[in-house]
Amino acid sequence: MNRIYLDNAASTPMDAEVLDLMIDVLRSANGNPSSVHYHGRQLRAMIEQSRKEIASLIGASPAEIFFTSGGTEADNLAIKGAVATQGIQQVITTAIEHHAVTHPVEDLEKAGMKTVWLRVDSEGFPDLAQLETALQSGDKSLVSLMHANNELGTMIDLDQVARLCARYGAILHSDTVQTMAHVHYKLSDMPIHFITASAHKFYGPKGVGFLYIKSGTQIPAQICGGSQERNMRAGTENVAGIVAMAAALKKCYGSFEQKTAHLWNLKQRMQQGLERMVTGVQFNGAIEPGKSIPTVLNVAFPSDEEESMILFNLDIGGICASGGSACTSGSVKGSHVLAGLGHGQARVSNSVRFSFGVQNTEAEIDEALAKIGEFLHVRV
């Protein structure tokens, strides 16, 4: 069976050229990058060149890039580190963030940290008036708001949030895992202290990512035992992964306009096809350009017995999609994001996230629509 992969928000397939480069590094990169001999110096040079390339692509300084095992570690490092050293008196976030943010914040709240959970509207946009009111309290604040929601695709105006936080002297962290490579950044011009990224969301390898820490922002290490990453993250570096991540990001930004146009075409083709085919279909989150990213379309199918089996039927039909974040796919509670929008269990259970990658084609979208039509007993 020809399977169609429409779960790219969970993980993108690795780019073939990037994979070849990673294999070459794995084959040739003997030694430890902390060693002072030839092999160590060779690996160190690869890491630092990759750091420079990533920094250049997002408008940052190489000294502001710290390599991690992925977005989850980077989010934890930023949030826990800021609270430990920045005199934080309150944390401000939403209940629809990735669990790499909500779980650390919940732990801080249990330990006594004042926490403000911002309201979100029906599309997943945070209440910025409530944010400003919280910032006006005078408490030193850490604000953590993701740039684009991983389940909805809804994208906040990060520049507006950053300016608001700067006005009140707040520390700002944003999980940019879903927007990295899909948005142009010039971080040197933005009053934002932390952003996070994960390579396997932009056609790089799993198990490697980075944290941007704005120059002058000091936080302690969370993983100790070595001096790697300028004493910020102990452990022998994943050299092949780091090199591959830089190459993947460079390739994405090198074909940015073409890639973005292709992804929007796929998303809109799926959206319009479902609207024509399924009476009563709705979409969770914002879907239009400027308010969302082109990679994610969260679909709420009408609630009845047929649609309640939609993920099962999609899988049987060779269509790979998800009901929400892959990080919580085993949860019996369903999507905390959709619940956070105020949707009932029926809508949560009957919602599917389709997410698109550069390898997907119009023909695959049409085939997916045909499969959906088959088990919903409608004509495409």
Side-chain angles (χ1 to χ4, degrees):
M1 178 189 296
N2 178 38
R3 292 198 170 271
I4 298 174
Y5 185 74
L6 297 177
D7 198 21
N8 291 273
S11 188
T12 52
M14 214 172 154
D15 179 88
E17 292 180 356
V18 172
L19 176 59
D20 288 341
L21 173 62
M22 186 174 180
I23 291 172
D24 287 343
V25 174
L26 286 168
R27 285 175 172 158
S28 63
N30 301 315
N32 188 305
S34 294
S35 298
V36 296
H37 53 62
Y38 168 80
H39 289 292
R41 295 195 307 272
Q42 184 183 44
L43 297 184
R44 176 58 53 196
M46 291 181 184
I47 292 172
E48 297 312 318
Q49 179 59 34
S50 298
R51 199 187 311 275
K52 290 177 183 178
E53 289 176 356
I54 290 172
S56 176
L57 290 167
I58 62 174
S61 164
E64 296 173 315
I65 305 300
F66 296 85
F67 295 123
T68 68
S69 64
T72 296
E73 181 191 340
D75 284 337
N76 275 260
L77 178 56
I79 292 168
K80 295 176 182 178
V83 168
T85 60
Q86 296 296 317
I88 300 300
Q89 297 168 295
Q90 71 174 352
V91 177
I92 306 171
T93 188
T94 77
I96 67 168
E97 304 296 306
H98 192 282
H99 279 154
V101 169
T102 61
H103 285 174
V105 173
E106 287 165 356
D107 287 343
L108 289 167
E109 187 175 35
K110 290 175 184 176
M113 174 63 68
K114 178 182 176 184
T115 306
V116 177
W117 298 92
L118 299 178
R119 295 181 295 269
V120 295
D121 67 14
S122 61
E123 293 184 313
F125 290 104
D127 186 333
L128 297 189
Q130 185 188 8
L131 170 60
E132 183 162 20
T133 297
L135 292 173
Q136 288 172 336
S137 69
D139 293 331
K140 183 62 179 292
S141 301
L142 168 65
V143 177
S144 181
L145 295 174
M146 65 199 314
H147 196 180
N149 189 276
N150 57 306
E151 294 190 28
L152 304 172
T154 297
M155 183 172 66
I156 67 172
D157 186 335
L158 190 57
D159 287 319
Q160 181 184 9
V161 171
R163 290 193 301 270
L164 183 59
C165 289
R167 189 183 309 159
Y168 294 97
I171 300 295
L172 176 59
H173 160 257
S174 184
D175 182 324
T176 56
V177 165
Q178 292 294 335
T179 51
M180 187 59 59
H182 300 298
V183 170
H184 282 299
Y185 289 99
K186 192 174 181 183
L187 294 173
S188 60
D189 293 343
M190 295 180 67
I192 186 168
H193 301 82
F194 306 100
I195 69 166
T196 56
S198 189
H200 74 108
K201 307 296 187 177
F202 49 84
Y203 313 98
K206 299 174 183 66
V208 62
F210 67 85
L211 171 64
Y212 160 85
I213 306 177
K214 193 168 192 66
S215 178
T217 306
Q218 300 296 321
I219 61 172
Q222 296 295 316
I223 299 176
C224 303
S227 60
Q228 292 88 353
E229 292 305 290
R230 304 185 298 289
N231 295 304
M232 185 61 67
R233 199 263 185 184
T236 302
E237 298 92 339
N238 176 4
V239 182
I242 290 169
V243 171
M245 174 168 61
L249 193 60
K250 183 177 182 179
K251 188 168 184 179
C252 281
Y253 279 122
S255 59
F256 185 86
E257 287 76 16
Q258 178 184 2
K259 172 178 67 69
T260 301
H262 175 63
L263 291 169
W264 272 117
N265 178 52
L266 297 178
K267 178 174 178 173
Q268 291 168 345
R269 193 178 188 91
M270 174 69 86
Q271 173 200 337
Q272 293 163 7
L274 289 169
E275 287 173 331
R276 289 192 303 267
M277 184 175 68
V278 183
T279 301
V281 71
Q282 295 177 290
F283 301 98
N284 298 311
I287 58 176
E288 62 268 31
K291 292 186 175 182
S292 69
I293 49 176
T295 48
V296 174
L297 183 68
N298 196 305
V299 183
F301 288 90
S303 179
D304 63 30
E305 186 175 353
E306 291 291 342
E307 282 79 15
S308 67
M309 295 292 289
I310 190 165
L311 277 176
F312 174 79
N313 284 314
L314 282 170
D315 191 36
I316 293 298
I319 310 301
C320 301
S322 70
S325 172
C327 299
T328 55
S329 61
S331 172
V332 297
K333 297 180 180 179
S335 167
H336 75 286
V337 172
L338 296 183
L341 298 187
H343 296 317
Q345 187 58 45
R347 181 156 176 169
V348 172
S349 299
N350 289 283
S351 291
V352 177
R353 180 187 68 180
F354 298 98
S355 50
F356 314 102
V358 294
Q359 79 285 354
N360 291 129
T361 65
E362 289 184 348
E364 288 181 324
I365 300 302
D366 293 343
E367 184 176 344
L369 288 168
K371 291 286 186 181
I372 293 169
E374 288 177 11
F375 62 74
L376 296 184
H377 310 298
V378 298
R379 190 184 301 274
V380 180

